[in-house]
Amino acid sequence: MTRMWPPGGDAHRPFAPRLAAPREPVDAARIGRRVVRRRAKGMDAGAVAAALEDARFDARQASRHEDLADDVRGPAELAEWERIEQLLAAAPAGTVYDPDTDSVVRAELEADAAGAAAREADLREAQRVAARADELQALRELGTLEQTEPRAGDEAVREELTRRAGGYVQDDVDGWLARALAARRGHYRDPAAREEAAGLLTPPVLAHAALLAALVRLVPDADVDQLPFAARLATSEPEAAAALTALLTRAHPAR
């Protein structure tokens, strides 16, 4: 029997909250370094040396207070003053500090931009998965899931549907993917997609697909949609299904 939602659960599609961009955790050390850079902008070596002495004095004072033992901003500010002092010491006389030409600052900005781009890409992918999960759920309710060709990324959508169901396995979705994989429908026409699926789908789904493919090779006029026993065997005994697939493949190797 197809298990769509947990027994006694709501038969309707569960509420899927709107995804928002995750907030970066507060980084006190980074804030401290940025404060120092703003203060140091335009300072020459002498001014930076004086500011460094003040920072060292503050650090000595803070070391006397146990409640500041876990402070990370103070040490970060001190380390940044020391770095800027060394930077100006190696520069021509009269050079003033400019964060816009600081290679360390530029590298941090590039890393920040790359991180923001990666987070945005992750958010877009999560939104795509959520929208596709809504679509597949609607097709399930219409009874037309089997007529739908899988798309790239539907393996992640399977996980999303399972998550929405509280981790309860969605047999109809698993069967749909296994039959599509065995028949090479949708994006599974691409050998690379089939190879990638081996690392994305669960062993029962993969065992089901492999057994269906072996049975069709053995009986060419068999229809993968008309072999329900393969799903039961793969779900309950995936290792046995894999062994049977290997035996059938030996009897009728793929060409």
Side-chain angles (χ1 to χ4, degrees):
M1 180 178 68
T2 298
R3 295 174 293 174
M4 294 182 61
W5 306 107
D10 188 352
H12 299 288
R13 181 166 62 253
F15 172 72
R18 183 178 179 180
L19 297 172
R23 294 183 178 181
E24 286 189 79
V26 175
D27 187 337
R30 171 176 289 194
I31 292 173
R33 288 191 293 270
R34 289 178 175 174
V35 168
V36 168
R37 291 164 188 168
R38 286 196 298 269
R39 287 184 56 199
K41 186 173 182 178
M43 286 185 176
D44 60 14
V48 168
L52 175 57
E53 285 304 311
D54 289 342
R56 286 172 173 163
F57 175 80
D58 291 341
R60 288 193 296 271
Q61 292 296 105
S63 67
R64 300 173 183 176
H65 300 277
E66 293 183 1
D67 59 326
L68 297 178
D70 295 329
D71 174 54
V72 296
R73 176 169 168 172
E77 290 186 4
L78 175 59
E80 189 65 1
W81 281 118
E82 290 173 342
R83 186 186 70 81
I84 293 174
E85 182 194 44
Q86 294 170 4
L87 186 67
L88 291 180
T95 300
V96 298
Y97 178 70
D98 183 359
D100 293 338
T101 61
D102 188 334
S103 60
V104 171
V105 175
R106 290 202 304 270
E108 286 185 5
L109 292 175
E110 291 173 0
D112 289 345
R119 288 190 296 275
E120 180 63 25
D122 289 343
L123 177 60
R124 287 197 300 270
E125 174 61 11
Q127 291 172 333
R128 183 199 67 78
V129 168
R132 177 63 168 166
D134 288 342
E135 179 185 353
L136 293 185
Q137 180 57 34
L139 293 170
R140 294 166 79 182
E141 293 170 358
L142 292 171
T144 58
L145 179 62
E146 282 300 330
Q147 287 73 54
T148 305
E149 290 199 343
R151 302 175 188 168
D154 276 352
E155 296 86 3
V157 176
R158 171 197 177 275
E159 294 182 3
E160 171 62 11
L161 288 168
T162 301
R163 183 196 67 78
R164 292 183 181 186
Y168 200 70
V169 174
Q170 307 294 282
D171 288 344
D172 58 337
V173 176
D174 280 2
W176 167 64
L177 286 172
R179 287 186 286 274
L181 181 57
R184 300 183 179 181
R185 293 198 300 258
H187 75 295
Y188 290 134
R189 295 186 185 93
D190 183 357
R194 298 196 297 274
E195 182 177 353
E196 184 180 13
L200 299 174
L201 295 173
T202 61
V205 176
L206 295 172
H208 184 190
L211 181 55
L212 287 174
L215 290 169
V216 170
R217 284 196 301 270
L218 188 62
V219 184
D221 61 349
D223 184 346
V224 295
D225 295 330
Q226 302 300 321
L227 300 170
F229 66 89
R232 291 196 295 271
L233 179 59
T235 300
S236 60
E237 295 289 345
E239 293 183 1
L244 177 57
T245 299
L247 181 63
L248 296 175
T249 302
R250 285 175 52 196
H252 197 280
R255 296 178 183 177

